[in-house]
């Protein structure tokens, strides 16, 4: 009597849009962990202090940093230096290398203090999806411009759910361009051994969905945590194929009620 063949791992726990793809790359801040709020608060403190000390000539540009609109528009998904330079330029403030480094260093100090004081959690819907992908045998990568990504994932207790991590430290070591360039995501799928055309990028940042689109990924999923009047539409305009508010929506049956 011949033994019964071992069945393939089922992907029935995944939403249909994911079932025929071979790998998923997740951004960290705002996608896996709720650390985006810590980043936004640290940026606000750093930028507001700089605006107060060096007010732009145009009074309209002296308004405080907005943790929603300015964060999404200028710094979300980017390296610290790129984010600092983008916001300062938008306000007409000097963007010398020295000034950009000083503001970025202030933000880094403030973020580290908040992380130690408040900690960080993983989003339950994301954990549910990542575990479903694991059970289905789909390789998973975490990719982030932040040098804190490994620490954040470890603190949230989810680092071991991913097959590889490409963080800001690795990006600097390898000379990878920052988002909206797709380098970070392409390095992640290279490590997973899957071509971009067979993989998914999951992002909450405008620069991140643009990077996924530029990289030729089969599917770019935008995550709209803000659920604002136009945030979902902006993610679609920048390159997302679809937008969800919780990654549990990409599991069979959708997000838990």
């Amino acid at each position: 009597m011949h033994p019964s063949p071992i069945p393939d791992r089922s992907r029935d726990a995944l939403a249909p849009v994911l079932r025929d793809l071979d790998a998923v790359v997740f951004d960290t801040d705002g996608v896996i962990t709720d650390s985006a709020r810590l980043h936004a608060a640290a940026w606000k403190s750093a930028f507001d202090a700089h605006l107060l000390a060096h007010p732009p000539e145009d009074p309209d540009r002296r308004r405080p940093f907005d943790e929603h609109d300015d964060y999404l528009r200028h710094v979300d998904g980017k390296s610290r230096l790129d984010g600092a330079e983008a916001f300062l330029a938008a306000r007409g403030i000097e963007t010398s290398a020295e000034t950009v480094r000083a503001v970025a260093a202030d933000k880094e100090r403030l973020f580290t203090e908040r992380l130690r004081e408040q900690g960080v959690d993983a989003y339950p819907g994301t954990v549910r999806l990542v575990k479903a992908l694991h059970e289905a045998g789909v390789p998973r990568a975490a990719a982030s411009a932040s040098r804190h990504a490994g620490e954040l994932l470890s603190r949230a207790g989810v680092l071991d759910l991913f097959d590889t991590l490409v963080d800001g430290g690795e990006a600097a070591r390898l000379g990878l361009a920052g988002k909206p360039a797709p380098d970070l995501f392409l390095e992640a799928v290279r490590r997973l051994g899957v071509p971009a055309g067979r993989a998914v990028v999951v992002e909450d940042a405008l620069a991140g969905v643009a990077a996924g689109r530029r990289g030729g990924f089969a599917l770019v999923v935008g995550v709209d945590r803000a659920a604002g009047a136009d945030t979902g539409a902006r993610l679609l305009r920048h390159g997302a194929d679809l937008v969800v508010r919780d990654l549990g929506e990409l599991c069979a049956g959708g997000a838990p009620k």
Side-chain angles (χ1 to χ4, degrees), residues 108-222:
E108 171 74 355
R109 175 184 60 80
L110 293 162
F111 175 79
T112 301
E113 290 175 358
R114 284 171 168 80
L115 178 60
R116 290 172 179 167
E117 292 170 359
Q118 302 177 32
V120 66
D121 294 316
Y123 290 103
T126 301
V127 174
R128 182 181 172 215
L129 174 61
V130 174
K131 288 182 175 179
L133 291 165
H134 172 70
E135 291 300 317
V138 178
R140 304 148 318 282
S144 174
S146 172
R147 293 174 183 263
H148 292 283
E151 179 184 2
L152 289 167
L153 295 176
S154 294
R155 282 176 173 264
V158 295
L159 181 61
D160 60 353
L161 294 179
F162 297 90
D163 298 298
T164 191
L165 165 65
V166 185
D167 65 4
E170 282 290 278
R173 182 180 69 82
L174 296 171
L176 303 179
K179 303 171 192 175
D183 298 28
L184 201 68
F185 297 144
L186 293 175
E187 174 63 16
V189 290
R190 185 194 68 77
R191 294 183 182 190
L192 295 177
V194 176
R198 296 291 307 159
V200 183
V201 163
V202 184
E203 258 283 3
D204 70 322
L206 301 180
V209 294
R213 176 59 53 232
R214 292 185 185 185
F217 283 80
L219 181 69
V220 180
V221 177

Side-chain angles (χ1 to χ4, degrees), residues 18-19 34 38 41 66 70 78 87 96 119 132 142 170 185 192 197 200 209 213 231-232 250-251 257:
L18 296 181
R19 290 177 189 169
D34 69 352
L38 300 181
D66 186 285
D70 285 329
K78 299 177 182 178
F87 177 77
S96 67
E170 282 290 278
F185 297 144
L192 295 177
V200 183
V209 294
R213 176 59 53 232
T231 49
L250 297 180
C251 296
K257 304 299 183 185

